[in-house]
Amino acid sequence: MSMAQAILPGFVVLLCTLSGCTTTSGGVALRPDGTPGPQECSEEAKKAMRYMRLRVGDGALVELDANQIKSKPITLYDGPLESMLKNDLGILETTTRLYGQVWTGGPQVVIRYYEAHPPDSEKVPICAVARLSENQLRKRPDSLPGTAILDFSVAGVDIVDAFR
């Protein structure tokens, strides 16, 4: 191994540390408050959403955690998440599973969805986010680090063309 190959990984870590950036295992840069930074949707997801006629702003309701349906409160953890549609989202029918990532570092939970798995069909790439108005994805003050306790198990899910 050359000297450059040995030094490069350390240089990248040092540069990231000095600039204040942090990245998650999926390569998403984190802001100083622990929330994920901007991220583009993959071309594959954009193509799949066009094919399914899903447009930016199309929305539905989702059970945030398929393992805590109708629970109050619910606890979400940093990392992967499986959610379930409560009603149709375009051609994605009720009970379609949405797979994504949860970040609990900031004052509100951030959930980004990257895949949909309709019943009796193959998984398809998508770009969507969980949303609720009036700060209802704000985690409760008794949430421990790496977790978010929410008062509701249901949120809105909206199609996006990029994560901001």
Side-chain angles (χ1 to χ4, degrees):
M1 175 171 16
S2 72
M3 179 72 95
Q5 288 174 321
I7 293 174
L8 185 59
F11 178 73
V12 171
V13 170
L14 177 64
L15 184 62
C16 224
T17 303
L18 292 175
S19 67
C21 73
T22 309
T23 58
T24 64
S25 60
V28 178
L30 296 181
R31 295 180 175 109
D33 69 354
T35 59
Q39 180 185 19
E40 291 299 316
C41 287
S42 70
E43 286 304 315
E44 185 180 50
K46 289 178 183 179
K47 182 178 177 180
M49 292 187 303
R50 279 192 303 272
Y51 179 77
M52 293 185 291
R53 295 186 181 172
L54 293 173
R55 293 175 185 83
V56 172
D58 286 352
L61 291 178
V62 65
E63 281 284 352
L64 291 171
D65 187 341
N67 295 311
Q68 300 182 71
I69 292 174
K70 296 183 181 178
S71 297
K72 290 183 184 181
I74 66 168
T75 302
L76 299 180
Y77 299 90
D78 282 326
L81 178 70
E82 177 184 3
S83 300
M84 186 177 73
L85 284 178
K86 288 183 61 72
N87 54 343
D88 294 350
L89 176 59
I91 66 169
L92 298 174
E93 60 190 90
T94 301
T95 73
T96 292
R97 301 300 172 129
L98 301 180
Y99 296 97
Q101 185 79 20
V102 176
W103 288 270
T104 64
Q108 296 196 75
V109 175
V110 175
I111 302 172
R112 295 178 176 176
Y113 295 106
Y114 301 101
E115 249 181 359
H117 191 185
D120 301 324
S121 187
E122 298 295 316
K123 289 182 181 177
V124 292
I126 62 166
C127 290
V129 295
R131 291 190 173 134
L132 272 180
S133 61
E134 300 177 13
N135 288 321
Q136 291 183 5
L137 282 181
R138 183 170 297 278
K139 61 186 185 182
R140 290 187 0 186
D142 53 334
S143 300
L144 297 173
T147 69
I149 300 173
L150 301 177
D151 290 325
F152 305 97
S153 68
V154 175
V157 62
D158 292 324
I159 297 297
V160 296
D161 59 0
F163 300 105
R164 293 168 176 69

